[in-house]
Amino acid sequence: VVEAYKQGLRPAVGYELNPWLLGLSKYRAWKAGYHGKVSFLKKDLWKVNLSDCYNVIVFLAPSVKPPLAAKLLAELPDEARVVAGRFPFPSWTPTSTLGQGLEQAWAYDMKEVRRAARREARSDSS
């Protein structure tokens, strides 16, 4: 969230249910001088409406990616970009990648993800 803010993404908001991780995130933001500039909220990502989000950064286990992909496809606008850290979305083709190994990140533009999904659906129905 802090890095997103540093890159000019506003607002920079993180959602976390684990109180320990939530506190750690807030502390790290405060220590880095970003208190009041970034937000960390104790909310369930599955219950948050993401339809007004244009930049989404996720750092979640591979098992969560398929249901999250469905949520993001349903809620995000075409202009949105999703960045996944450490684990890619298995059914999506990234627009770009950066880093390698444990530091790798994949970026996905929702317009392209939807276009590929439509092409795949057409070819499956043929």
Side-chain angles (χ1 to χ4, degrees):
V1 174
V2 169
E3 187 58 35
Y5 184 87
K6 287 179 185 178
Q7 297 299 320
L9 303 178
R10 309 279 193 287
V13 180
Y15 300 112
E16 179 57 63
L17 281 177
N18 181 315
W20 189 87
L21 291 175
L22 184 65
L24 180 62
S25 297
K26 289 179 178 184
Y27 170 74
R28 287 183 174 168
W30 170 81
K31 190 173 179 187
Y34 290 90
H35 177 72
K37 297 177 182 174
V38 300
S39 301
F40 294 93
L41 306 175
K42 185 176 182 184
K43 288 193 175 183
D44 186 340
L45 176 64
W46 302 107
K47 295 178 181 175
V48 173
N49 183 332
L50 301 173
S51 62
D52 63 346
C53 295
Y54 289 87
N55 296 285
V56 176
I57 302 165
V58 295
F59 188 82
L60 296 167
S63 61
V64 180
K65 294 293 174 70
L68 181 58
K71 177 179 176 57
L72 296 174
L73 278 168
E75 295 180 13
L76 291 180
D78 272 351
E79 301 79 19
R81 174 170 263 205
V82 176
V83 175
R86 192 155 303 169
F87 305 108
F89 282 89
S91 61
W92 292 1
T93 301
T95 306
S96 61
T97 61
L98 181 66
Q100 55 187 312
L102 295 178
E103 301 301 320
Q104 190 165 7
W106 295 261
Y108 307 91
D109 291 331
M110 292 309 296
K111 184 179 262 182
E112 294 302 318
V113 170
R114 286 191 177 97
R115 188 175 290 144
R118 285 192 298 269
R119 276 195 307 264
E120 186 174 313
R122 281 195 302 267
S123 69
D124 286 349
S125 66
S126 299

